[in-house]
Amino acid sequence: MDYKQDLITTIHDLGCNIDQLDDHLTEVSQSLPTAVLIPSLYEELQRPALTRIRDQLTHCRFVNNVVISLYAQTAEEYFQAVDFFGTLPQPTYVLWENGPRITKLLAQLQEQGLDLLQHRGKGRAVWLGLGVASLEAAAIALHDADIITYDKTYPLKLLFPLLEREFGIAFSKAYYTRLSEAPRRMHGRVTRLFVTPLITSLMEVFGYRDYLRYLNSYRYPLSGEFALTRDLALNTRIPADWGLEVGLLAEVYRNLARKRIAQVDLGIFEHKHQDMGTSSDKGLQKMCRDILKSVLRTLTETEQVAISRDHIRALGVKFRREAQNLTRQYFVDARFNGIEYDRHQEEVTLENFEKIILQAGDEYLEDATGTQIPDWTRALAVMPQLREQLRDAVVADMSDAREQNEQDRVDTTPSLTVIPQ
């Protein structure tokens, strides 16, 4: 362990036999149940990463429940998903987040003044999944559905700090090396070429604010893999835009003392790559735009920083210099380690990111309000049994799916015709 900037505990290596740790966590999880939550689009079922994730989870004895928060266009897609996850040994909830039963529940919530139907995407999927998972789990690990290098040590490492009560950890965050093998190439452009130079530039423009030091202590702030306690899950607002990961860190910053946060090394990590996008409303460009607005908003909320257009212009200038310095470092690192590196393309990418800073800054100054889903405690004040109703809806959806899947299997089973002698 070390303590980068004296803010967050960093766990580099578990320092023990994985099988022994598996046995230990399996025993602990009997009194502190765990869950793994995976937000997913139906399309991920067609890709090999989710098959690998499912197969690895079958070996996770320390995981008591699995929750899949699924976006599916049709009932047939949902039925296939239920069948796909049917091999998991753990009790599994495949939550059809845009299905008619869930939509009906959210409409009832909307009628009472809390509108979640206006939100779409990963944020709402995570919020719904946390509601179901927190009914039974004391600790919840969340990760994406597109991790190519996934193995059972991922949830094990994320959950371990939370299940050791003497640690007092309530939130653990993954960090890793984004490096592909064939070809051997650096990835993680938004972290390397946007977030890292952005935080440094913000500290130069606004000073070494505690929130910026906190963000800077994360080795991979955009990782979508983390674990949190039930209490934190129920008291955290979930960002509804593409700034979910950074926005979630802002919520953790508000809700937890730094000594209750850990980050855990997952090693070499690879998942599906996002496109840059053809405009600031698409792809990585939209992600960067939402990230910057989230950071600026939190700076104002927590540090009482008054942000002006002069600040945004200065930020753009500082960012370009910091990002160019980093591309030089990446070029040297890549050449020394035999890694492919297109320095020109990296420079083009950071130039696009620089334009995003000016645009996102102007948008923030015009409208500083964010897009966040209220925390679960707010929803339960409106509908106290909402989590149980959600779970019941999931159970009913899955029952329909299993019944239809079984009928389909019967209909496609060849019949045997006996020919009289």
Side-chain angles (χ1 to χ4, degrees):
M1 293 185 186
D2 70 9
Y3 302 90
K4 187 179 179 184
Q5 298 208 8
D6 298 322
L7 291 178
I8 296 174
T9 300
T10 301
I11 304 176
H12 295 290
D13 194 327
L14 291 173
C16 63
N17 183 282
I18 290 296
D19 291 334
Q20 291 177 348
L21 186 58
D22 187 318
D23 291 340
H24 173 62
L25 291 193
T26 300
E27 180 180 350
V28 174
S29 66
Q30 302 309 305
S31 57
L32 291 174
T34 65
V36 167
L37 167 59
I38 308 173
S40 177
L41 300 174
Y42 167 77
E43 288 76 13
E44 297 297 343
L45 272 69
Q46 314 303 317
R47 301 186 176 106
L50 192 54
T51 298
R52 177 182 176 89
I53 291 170
R54 179 200 62 188
D55 294 345
Q56 287 291 313
L57 283 174
T58 63
H59 305 297
C60 295
R61 297 176 299 140
F62 54 89
V63 174
N64 301 97
N65 294 280
V66 176
V67 179
I68 312 297
S69 196
L70 181 80
Y71 186 93
Q73 295 283 4
T74 65
E76 289 72 21
E77 290 182 351
Y78 175 74
F79 295 165
Q80 290 178 39
V82 172
D83 192 54
F84 179 86
F85 290 104
T87 58
L88 286 172
Q90 301 94 340
T92 301
Y93 299 97
V94 183
L95 187 158
W96 188 8
E97 61 120 333
N98 60 317
R101 285 190 173 98
I102 302 296
T103 300
K104 182 178 179 181
L105 280 174
L106 296 182
Q108 295 174 18
L109 198 62
Q110 183 186 49
E111 289 172 1
Q112 299 189 55
L114 194 58
D115 185 8
L116 269 72
L117 291 173
Q118 64 177 307
H119 303 298
R120 295 289 187 274
K122 183 178 177 181
R124 191 176 81 174
V126 169
W127 189 89
L128 288 167
L130 289 176
V132 173
S134 61
L135 278 170
E136 300 177 29
I140 305 162
L142 184 147
H143 59 70
D144 292 328
D146 60 353
I147 306 171
I148 299 169
T149 53
Y150 190 90
D151 65 56
K152 75 172 189 177
T153 65
Y154 286 10
L156 185 147
K157 290 179 179 179
L158 288 169
L159 289 166
F160 169 66
L162 276 62
L163 295 182
E164 289 293 312
R165 296 191 187 191
E166 62 202 70
F167 290 174
I169 300 295
F171 178 76
S172 66
K173 173 87 164 170
Y175 72 93
Y176 32 68
T177 300
R178 292 289 311 282
L179 189 67
S180 62
E181 286 297 328
R184 191 168 171 80
R185 183 180 298 161
M186 291 181 184
H187 296 290
R189 288 167 293 173
V190 176
T191 295
R192 290 190 299 105
L193 297 176
F194 185 72
V195 173
T196 298
L198 175 67
I199 294 173
T200 302
S201 302
L202 284 165
M203 288 193 289
E204 291 185 2
V205 173
F206 296 109
Y208 285 78
R209 308 280 179 160
D210 185 61
Y211 169 62
L212 295 177
R213 291 180 61 242
Y214 160 80
L215 278 185
N216 194 45
S217 66
Y218 283 102
R219 294 168 184 261
Y220 207 99
L222 296 189
S223 68
E225 297 72 36
F226 59 88
L228 70 175
T229 61
R230 175 195 290 124
D231 181 67
L232 184 59
L234 295 177
N235 286 278
T236 296
R237 296 177 299 173
I238 301 297
D241 57 18
W242 282 34
L244 188 148
E245 285 78 18
V246 166
L248 184 65
L249 293 184
E251 286 296 294
V252 172
Y253 177 77
R254 294 185 185 96
N255 291 332
L256 287 181
R258 299 320 151 251
K259 66 182 180 180
R260 303 199 66 200
I261 304 170
Q263 53 184 333
V264 182
D265 185 3
L266 297 188
I268 301 293
F269 185 96
E270 190 57 33
H271 62 65
K272 182 179 66 181
H273 307 295
Q274 295 271 11
D275 293 328
M276 275 295 296
T278 55
S279 72
S280 62
D281 291 322
K282 298 178 181 178
L284 297 184
Q285 294 186 65
K286 176 171 173 53
M287 182 184 296
C288 292
R289 192 184 71 180
D290 289 347
I291 286 169
L292 177 55
K293 289 194 289 186
S294 174
V295 172
L296 293 177
R297 185 179 309 113
T298 308
L299 260 180
T300 299
E301 290 177 350
T302 62
E303 304 286 351
Q304 294 76 51
V305 172
I307 298 171
S308 68
R309 279 188 167 80
D310 287 340
H311 286 128
I312 299 302
R313 284 191 286 269
L315 182 62
V317 173
K318 290 284 188 182
F319 171 85
R320 184 169 181 77
R321 172 52 58 196
E322 291 295 332
Q324 287 176 332
N325 289 340
L326 283 172
T327 59
R328 293 189 187 94
Q329 294 178 33
Y330 297 145
F331 172 69
V332 173
D333 285 344
R335 180 65 63 86
F336 186 81
N337 290 284
I339 298 170
E340 288 187 14
Y341 188 77
D342 188 336
R343 185 170 175 180
H344 170 65
Q345 188 56 51
E346 294 269 287
E347 293 274 1
V348 171
T349 300
L350 72 86
E351 288 168 4
N352 287 330
F353 288 162
E354 181 187 0
K355 295 174 185 177
I356 293 295
I357 288 178
L358 301 176
Q359 180 180 345
D362 285 341
E363 290 177 2
Y364 174 75
L365 293 173
E366 291 173 9
D367 181 10
T369 59
T371 306
Q372 289 182 313
I373 302 173
D375 64 38
W376 263 98
T377 57
R378 165 86 183 278
L380 294 177
V382 178
M383 292 177 62
Q385 299 302 311
L386 179 59
R387 289 188 300 163
E388 289 81 2
Q389 290 173 292
L390 273 175
R391 182 176 58 187
D392 291 345
V394 175
V395 170
D397 281 343
M398 292 183 68
S399 177
D400 290 348
R402 290 181 179 121
E403 182 177 334
Q404 185 59 53
N405 290 337
E406 183 60 33
Q407 184 60 51
D408 290 343
R409 278 188 276 271
V410 170
D411 292 342
T412 57
T413 300
S415 58
L416 179 65
T417 302
V418 178
I419 300 176
Q421 297 295 322

